[in-house]
Amino acid sequence: MSHVLSEETHRNMLARIPHCTGREVSDWIRTVEEGPALFRFEEKVSWLRHEHNLAYGHAKAIIHEYDLRRAARKLL
C-alpha cells in the first residue's frame, strides 16, 4: 500500500490532528522518536495506531510528517 499523500491532503490532515487527538503534531513526532526502532512505514503506523488508539489516517499522516522531518534534518 502506498503511503504517498498529496501535499494539500497531508497539510489538511496535520491541521486536524490536534483537534481530533488532543495533542499537537510536535508531541506526536516526539512520541514516534521515543518509540520502538521500527523501520517500515506500515510498522510505525500500526504501532502508533495500536499503542495510542489513533485512526489510520492520523497515524499515517504523523509518520509521514516524521519521515519528512527526519529527511530534512539529514540534509542540514
Side-chain angles (χ1 to χ4, degrees):
M1 176 181 285
S2 173
H3 63 271
V4 176
L5 301 171
S6 74
E7 184 64 27
E8 181 180 3
T9 300
H10 179 64
R11 293 290 156 215
N12 288 337
M13 183 67 77
L14 287 180
R16 290 192 302 265
I17 286 174
H19 174 72
C20 295
T21 68
R23 292 176 61 187
E24 294 296 322
V25 173
S26 59
D27 292 339
W28 286 115
I29 298 296
R30 197 167 25 263
T31 297
V32 173
E33 288 174 344
E34 294 170 354
L38 302 170
F39 295 103
R40 297 182 61 217
F41 183 87
E42 286 298 329
E43 288 175 325
K44 294 176 199 173
V45 171
S46 181
W47 171 78
L48 202 53
R49 288 184 66 211
H50 293 99
E51 186 71 23
H52 297 282
N53 200 31
L54 291 177
Y56 177 75
H58 293 142
K60 186 175 168 179
I62 290 165
I63 298 301
H64 183 63
E65 183 66 15
Y66 168 78
D67 287 345
L68 289 173
R69 290 182 186 191
R70 197 176 84 189
R73 283 194 309 252
K74 286 182 180 180
L75 293 175
L76 296 177

